[in-house]
Amino acid sequence: MNRTVRNQRTKQLRAIIYIRVSTAREDMKSPEQQLAICRAYLTQKGIAEVDVVRDLDLSGSDFAKRKISQIIDRIRAGEADAIVVWEYSRFGRTLIGSLFYIKELQEAGGDLLSATQDIDASTAAGRYMRDQFLRLAEYQLDQIRDSWRSTHQRRLNKGLPHGGQPRFGYLRCPGCQRSEENPARYVCQNKCEGLLVHDPVRGPALAKAYRRFVDGDTLYAIARDAWEEGVTSLRGSRMTADQWRVVMDSGFAAGYLRSVGQGPKPTNSRPDSYPIWYDGAHDALISQATWDSYVELRLRQADAFTREREPKWSCTSMVRCGESDDNENLCLRIMRTAGGNSRGGTMVRAFRCAHSENHASGKTVNIRAARVDALVLDWIRKNAQGVETVQDRLDQREEIEVSRTRIVELERSIKTLLQRKQRINEGYEAGLNDLETAKARMVVADTEVREKKADLKRLMQQLASVEPPSKEKFSGLAEVWDSATPAERRKALRKVIRYVIVTPPRGGEKVSSMRIVPLWEPDIVPAHKRSKGVSVA
C-alpha cells in the first residue's frame, strides 16, 4: 500500500467498489455476488463505501472502454482513497495494462484492494503476489480466447456465424426456444444448429437497399425511406446511414461469413478489410451479381457513409482535380463544393480542391458548380446526337487488346497460385512443413489470389461496359434534365460518367478547362487510391 494511503490509516478509508463482468457464463461471479463479497470486505476492514461503479459486458483487456480512468480521476480529486474489487482479474486481465493503471492510481493517491486476494502490495513480496495474480488473470484470458477461437472456427466451418444472435434481415428458426436451465442459450426442436432464416420484414428491406444503392441511391436516402416505411433495427430503433453501411458491408445477405483469421480487427467495415470469406449455410437475400456490383461501388466511395447527404449538385463527388505536383503526378483528389462570392445577391457555389500545398503551382483549383453542370449537359446532348461515338470506339481498340492480353496473364497467374496452394497442403500432409509455416504461406498465396482476381474482375467489367450507351438513352436524359432534382441527375450520371477532371488555366487561359471521363473509358485512378484521391503517376 502506498505512503498516502498508509498516512490515512489514522482516519477511516473511503473506497469505490468496482464491479466488472464480460459475458454471461455459468461459472462467472455475477455483479450481485461480487458486490456482496466486496461489501463484506469493507465491513471487515472498517472501510467506508463511497460508490459502486459497474462495467458490464466489457472485457478486462480493454481499459479504454471501461471506467477505470474516471475512478482514478475521482480519487485524484479526493472523493475516495482506494478501489476495491472482488479479485484482481476484475481490474484487468493484462499484466502490462493493469500495472500501468495501478501506477497511475497510486500516483493519484489511491490503491487497489482485492476482497478475496487480500495482500499488502506495499512490500516486495506483496507486489510479487499481486503481479502473479495478474499474470494468472492474463493466462486465463488467453485460455478463454483460445476457446472462443476454436468455437468460432468450428461454426465458420459449418457455415454459421460466430455468434448465435440474429442478424439484420434474418431470424432464428421458429423452433428455437430459450433453455430453461440456461436462459442465455437456445434449444431447437427442429435441430437447426443455429441456422438463421429470412426475416419476412427486414429481409426484403435489406435486399431492396442493395438494389437501390447499386442503382445510385445514397445510403442517407435509403435509411430515411426505410424509417418512413417502418423498418427498424433489431432493437426497434431508427437506423442511420452508417448502420446500414455496416450491415451491407458484412456480406451476410449475399450468403457469406467474413473473418480476419489471426490478424488484427479492421478499423472499418469495408469488404476489402476482411481477408477471409466463407460460404454461409444460410440462404442469401441477394444475388452474387448484386453483391459484386455493391462491392465495386462501395470501394469507389470517397467518403465514409456517415457523412453522406442528399447531393446538392449533379456532379457531387464526381469532380476531380487535374493539377500536377512537382513530379508531374496528377492530384486527382475529389473537389468539394464551397461557398463563393455573391453576385447580384446570388451565392455562387464552386468545386474546389483543398490540397493546393501539393500542387506545383501552389494555387487552388476551383470551378463554378453551375459551369460543371453546363458542360455535362452539353456532353449529354452531343452524345444524344451521336457525336464522337465512332471515333471513341476506334481509340479504344488498342486499349481493349491490351486489356485482353492482361486478362490472359492474370488467369494464368491465378492458376499458378492455386497450384501453389495445393502444393502447400500436400507439403504439410507429407510432414515437410509444420502447421504455422503452412498457414503463413497459405495466407500469402490467398492474398495474391484475391488481388489478382480483383484485377481480373475489374478488367472483365471494363470490357463488358466498353460500348457507350445508345444515343436514345442520352436523349432521354437530356429531356428530363431540367425537371430532375440534383440527386436524380447524379444517380443517372453515375451510370455514364466516371469523373470530371478539372485542369487549371494554362498560358493565356483565364478559366479552368474540364474533361469528362466516361465509364466506358479506363479508370485513371488506381483502385487502392480511389477513396483517398491521392496523387498518382
Side-chain angles (χ1 to χ4, degrees):
M1 190 174 300
N2 70 18
R3 180 176 301 174
T4 303
V5 175
R6 284 204 308 272
N7 291 340
Q8 293 170 341
R9 283 298 189 185
T10 57
K11 62 180 181 179
Q12 187 179 30
L13 287 179
R14 301 160 300 163
I16 294 175
I17 298 176
Y18 178 68
I19 307 296
R20 184 188 66 80
V21 292
S22 51
T23 55
R25 300 191 311 275
E26 293 181 2
D27 59 341
M28 80 169 194
K29 281 289 184 182
S30 69
E32 294 76 17
Q33 291 174 315
Q34 293 183 40
L35 180 58
I37 294 173
C38 288
R39 281 179 169 165
Y41 173 80
L42 295 184
T43 300
Q44 178 187 358
K45 296 293 184 178
I47 302 174
E49 177 185 327
V50 174
D51 194 7
V52 178
V53 177
R54 296 173 174 85
D55 272 330
L56 306 182
D57 298 326
L58 291 176
S59 171
S61 63
D62 192 346
F63 283 89
K65 294 182 180 179
R66 297 191 284 129
K67 302 183 181 72
I68 296 296
S69 293
Q70 298 174 24
I71 299 175
I72 295 175
D73 289 339
R74 293 175 65 180
I75 291 176
R76 185 178 291 111
E79 293 185 31
D81 307 310
I83 299 175
V84 174
V85 293
W86 164 57
E87 63 176 27
Y88 285 116
S89 67
R90 299 304 89 196
F91 185 79
R93 278 198 179 273
T94 59
L95 178 62
I96 295 177
S98 297
L99 292 179
F100 174 84
Y101 280 92
I102 288 173
K103 181 179 180 182
E104 185 177 348
L105 171 62
Q106 292 175 340
E107 290 176 350
D111 206 353
L112 177 64
L113 307 176
S114 171
T116 57
Q117 299 160 337
D118 189 16
I119 58 177
D120 183 2
S122 64
T123 66
R127 288 191 295 273
Y128 174 80
M129 289 300 299
R130 179 198 64 194
D131 294 353
Q132 293 307 307
F133 283 126
L134 291 173
R135 285 191 176 90
L136 178 61
E138 185 169 26
Y139 170 72
Q140 291 171 338
L141 175 64
D142 289 340
Q143 284 188 313
I144 293 171
R145 285 175 171 172
D146 289 343
S147 177
W148 273 109
R149 290 191 189 103
S150 299
T151 301
H152 293 174
Q153 191 60 51
R154 285 196 300 270
R155 290 184 63 85
L156 285 172
N157 293 339
K158 293 180 180 180
L160 300 174
H162 66 270
Q165 299 300 320
R167 300 294 185 93
F168 188 86
Y170 291 81
L171 296 171
R172 291 189 180 88
C173 85
C176 287
Q177 302 293 331
R178 288 189 181 275
S179 170
E180 295 181 358
E181 298 179 355
N182 184 4
R185 297 181 179 275
Y186 281 80
V187 293
C188 183
Q189 300 174 354
N190 302 330
K191 298 182 179 180
C192 69
E193 296 185 348
L195 184 65
L196 300 178
V197 298
H198 290 175
D199 184 328
V201 176
R202 296 184 179 91
L206 180 55
K208 179 181 177 182
Y210 276 103
R211 292 193 297 269
R212 288 186 59 183
F213 183 82
V214 169
D215 287 340
D217 281 344
T218 65
L219 282 182
Y220 175 81
I222 292 171
R224 179 199 60 203
D225 295 344
W227 174 249
E228 293 176 354
E229 294 169 3
V231 179
T232 66
S233 69
L234 294 176
R235 296 183 177 181
S237 59
R238 181 172 185 168
M239 291 181 63
T240 64
D242 184 56
Q243 289 171 324
W244 276 98
R245 172 180 60 82
V246 172
V247 168
M248 296 170 71
D249 279 353
S250 71
F252 197 81
Y256 290 116
L257 302 172
R258 62 186 183 180
S259 172
V260 294
Q262 301 295 324
K265 184 178 180 180
T267 57
N268 60 69
S269 66
R270 283 178 23 163
D272 60 341
S273 298
Y274 288 79
I276 305 173
W277 292 78
Y278 295 84
D279 291 326
H282 58 285
D283 293 331
L285 285 165
I286 61 174
S287 66
Q288 182 63 41
T290 300
W291 170 247
D292 290 341
S293 298
Y294 170 82
V295 172
E296 179 190 11
L297 185 56
R298 172 71 176 92
L299 298 184
R300 282 167 45 193
Q301 293 292 335
D303 296 310
F305 285 42
T306 51
R307 289 184 280 176
E308 249 188 53
R309 296 293 185 270
E310 286 285 1
K312 296 181 179 179
W313 297 95
S314 308
C315 297
T316 296
S317 78
M318 300 171 65
V319 182
R320 294 199 175 236
C321 176
E323 179 61 295
S324 301
D325 61 17
D326 293 333
N327 297 320
E328 298 185 355
N329 297 325
L330 293 181
C331 173
L332 293 178
R333 286 179 168 85
I334 292 178
M335 298 173 65
R336 312 292 182 189
T337 53
N341 299 322
S342 179
R343 295 183 179 179
T346 303
M347 181 63 70
V348 177
R349 304 291 292 185
F351 287 101
R352 180 173 300 165
C353 179
H355 300 274
S356 58
E357 71 277 3
N358 297 319
H359 299 164
S361 63
K363 297 181 180 180
T364 300
V365 179
N366 59 71
I367 188 168
R368 288 189 297 118
R371 187 163 173 251
V372 175
D373 277 6
L375 168 76
V376 169
L377 179 57
D378 182 63
W379 179 79
I380 291 171
R381 287 171 174 166
K382 287 182 179 180
N383 279 277
Q385 298 171 4
V387 178
E388 300 179 346
T389 300
V390 174
Q391 185 61 43
D392 287 343
R393 291 176 182 175
L394 292 175
D395 293 341
Q396 292 162 8
R397 289 187 182 276
E398 183 177 352
E399 294 175 354
I400 291 173
E401 291 304 319
V402 171
S403 296
R404 286 175 176 167
T405 301
R406 178 60 178 156
I407 286 174
V408 173
E409 293 174 352
L410 285 171
E411 290 176 338
R412 187 180 298 117
S413 297
I414 291 172
K415 182 178 179 180
T416 301
L417 286 169
L418 293 176
Q419 291 173 345
R420 183 195 302 176
K421 291 177 62 177
Q422 180 63 31
R423 289 195 297 271
I424 292 172
N425 282 328
E426 292 173 351
Y428 170 68
E429 293 174 355
L432 301 178
N433 297 314
D434 57 36
L435 180 58
E436 292 303 321
T437 301
K439 283 184 177 179
R441 292 180 178 177
M442 191 66 75
V443 168
V444 173
D446 284 337
T447 301
E448 292 183 18
V449 168
R450 283 194 304 273
E451 291 176 350
K452 292 187 181 298
K453 283 186 175 181
D455 289 341
L456 178 62
K457 178 182 175 182
R458 179 177 57 81
L459 288 172
M460 295 290 286
Q461 289 174 338
Q462 282 187 356
L463 285 178
S465 61
V466 73
E467 288 292 331
S470 65
K471 63 180 182 179
E472 288 77 12
K473 291 185 178 180
F474 282 106
S475 298
L477 179 55
E479 290 175 2
V480 301
W481 182 267
D482 292 335
S483 60
T485 65
E488 291 170 337
R489 293 177 186 172
R490 180 173 176 266
K491 180 178 179 179
L493 291 177
R494 288 174 68 176
K495 297 181 180 179
V496 293
I497 293 179
R498 194 182 300 280
Y499 307 120
V500 178
I501 307 297
V502 179
T503 304
R506 307 293 188 193
E509 298 176 344
K510 296 184 178 180
V511 296
S512 300
S513 60
M514 292 175 286
R515 178 171 69 90
I516 292 176
V517 180
L519 279 178
W520 52 89
E521 288 186 7
D523 192 346
I524 62 176
V525 181
H528 66 285
K529 298 181 179 180
R530 289 172 198 157
S531 63
K532 296 181 180 179
V534 296
S535 297
V536 296

